[in-house]
Amino acid sequence: FCGLCAFVQHLKDVKAGGVRQVVPKSILKHLRSIDKKLRQGRQEDAHEFLRHFVKRLTESGLPRSKDKLPRGVENTTFVSQVFGGYLRSSVSCTECKKDSNVYDWCMDVSLDLTGRSTSLSKCFESFTQKETLQGRNKYHCSSCNKKVVAHKQMLIHSPSPILTIHLKRFSAGFGMRSQKIQSSVDFPTSFDLAPYTTSKKKATYRLFAVVEHGGSTMQGGHYWSFARGSNGTWYKFDDECVTQVTEQSVRRAAAYLLLYERTNMPSPD
């Protein structure tokens, strides 16, 4: 299965026109190839589908080989370069002041939701907040050769051209059924990611798509999305129904996924 081929065919079907609605047949008939757990006609998670589908797009850009490719090669494809970036997890010893950094490749940023009402900036502040490792959670410093009090922090090291934000609205509930977090999240149409990065350099983003879920659990409900056209007009996509909407109505959405495009791409080194 070639994910990129299926996506290109869908785009061709869209451009061909002549019909009121375009069914993504080239993608739907290969759901099991995108991920073996996916089934037509069954409620699936939009975030999981997006991640699996982008992974298949990424694999389409890799050389065909029977041998396992070296670690990190898939991060070099053009799809990965569009959606991917690095997170840095840093642990700092309070005694010798030595930092230990770990860099992880990511295709999206998942943010926790707390409280009945919050904002995207507060979610990022919580995501990047320093955590003190102490008591039973003390950190073993290799330089001091003992357990010490340390500070741990997660920051975005390499911001991606397309920033996908996953708001964690579902948590495990009784009987393994998910519970939906109904928090209201205020999200901007544009913002600067700089305060949450390692470099603190300006990284401005503009909102271009939102995915919303209606329902009380992951196992049920309905998804619809909003997308900004090239003319700046916003549209709501609800199955075969497409309607023009205002930017204000988009910002009132109980967002599950937010997609931003970077507007100040850094010049090549």
Side-chain angles (χ1 to χ4, degrees), residues 133-145:
L133 304 179
Q134 57 188 347
R136 293 184 178 180
N137 295 322
K138 277 187 176 181
Y139 169 70
H140 181 82
C141 177
S142 57
S143 295
C144 300
N145 196 27

Side-chain angles (χ1 to χ4, degrees), residues 21-209:
Q21 300 92 25
V22 177
V23 179
K25 295 179 181 178
S26 58
I27 297 173
L28 286 174
K29 68 181 181 181
H30 292 293
L31 277 181
R32 295 290 300 274
S33 298
I34 295 172
D35 184 70
K36 62 182 180 181
K37 296 179 182 179
L38 295 176
R39 300 285 190 280
Q40 281 198 51
R42 188 177 71 183
Q43 179 73 38
E44 305 289 358
D45 180 55
H47 176 241
E48 288 186 8
F49 172 78
L50 177 62
R51 286 284 59 84
H52 289 306
F53 187 59
V54 170
K55 183 175 178 60
R56 298 295 168 260
L57 294 178
T58 300
E59 292 172 347
S60 300
L62 295 173
R64 295 183 179 274
S65 174
K66 293 182 180 179
D67 300 323
K68 188 176 181 180
L69 294 171
R71 183 180 178 183
V73 169
E74 68 178 45
N75 300 345
T76 64
T77 68
F78 76 93
V79 174
S80 294
Q81 293 300 306
V82 169
F83 288 95
Y86 280 97
L87 295 176
R88 189 192 76 181
S89 176
S90 177
V91 179
S92 178
C93 175
T94 58
E95 295 191 17
C96 70
K97 309 303 180 185
K98 182 179 179 180
D99 293 333
S100 175
N101 298 318
V102 176
Y103 299 88
D104 291 312
W105 184 258
C106 67
M107 299 293 274
D108 58 35
V109 178
S110 292
L111 302 177
D112 290 317
L113 297 180
T114 56
R116 295 182 62 183
S117 180
T118 186
S119 65
L120 188 62
S121 60
K122 288 180 180 178
C123 290
F124 267 113
E125 286 168 9
S126 176
F127 180 74
T128 58
Q129 186 176 27
K130 282 187 178 180
E131 175 189 359
T132 301
L133 304 179
Q134 57 188 347
R136 293 184 178 180
N137 295 322
K138 277 187 176 181
Y139 169 70
H140 181 82
C141 177
S142 57
S143 295
C144 300
N145 196 27
K146 65 177 182 178
K147 288 195 172 184
V148 299
V149 175
H151 297 303
K152 183 179 180 180
Q153 185 178 34
M154 183 77 75
L155 289 169
I156 296 171
H157 182 68
S158 176
S160 55
I162 297 297
L163 176 64
T164 305
I165 299 173
H166 166 226
L167 299 175
K168 295 162 74 172
R169 288 196 174 275
F170 299 106
S171 60
F174 181 75
M176 296 307 292
R177 287 186 63 83
S178 65
Q179 298 292 321
K180 185 175 179 182
I181 301 172
Q182 303 283 3
S183 301
S184 171
V185 182
D186 180 33
F187 54 91
T189 53
S190 61
F191 77 107
D192 188 359
L193 193 66
Y196 319 112
T197 65
T198 55
S199 68
K200 308 305 179 189
K201 291 181 179 178
K202 191 173 185 179
T204 54
Y205 285 85
R206 184 184 180 193
L207 184 71
F208 74 89

Side-chain angles (χ1 to χ4, degrees), residues 206-219:
R206 184 184 180 193
L207 184 71
F208 74 89
V210 178
V211 176
E212 184 173 7
H213 174 268
S216 56
T217 70
M218 188 189 298
Q219 288 76 25

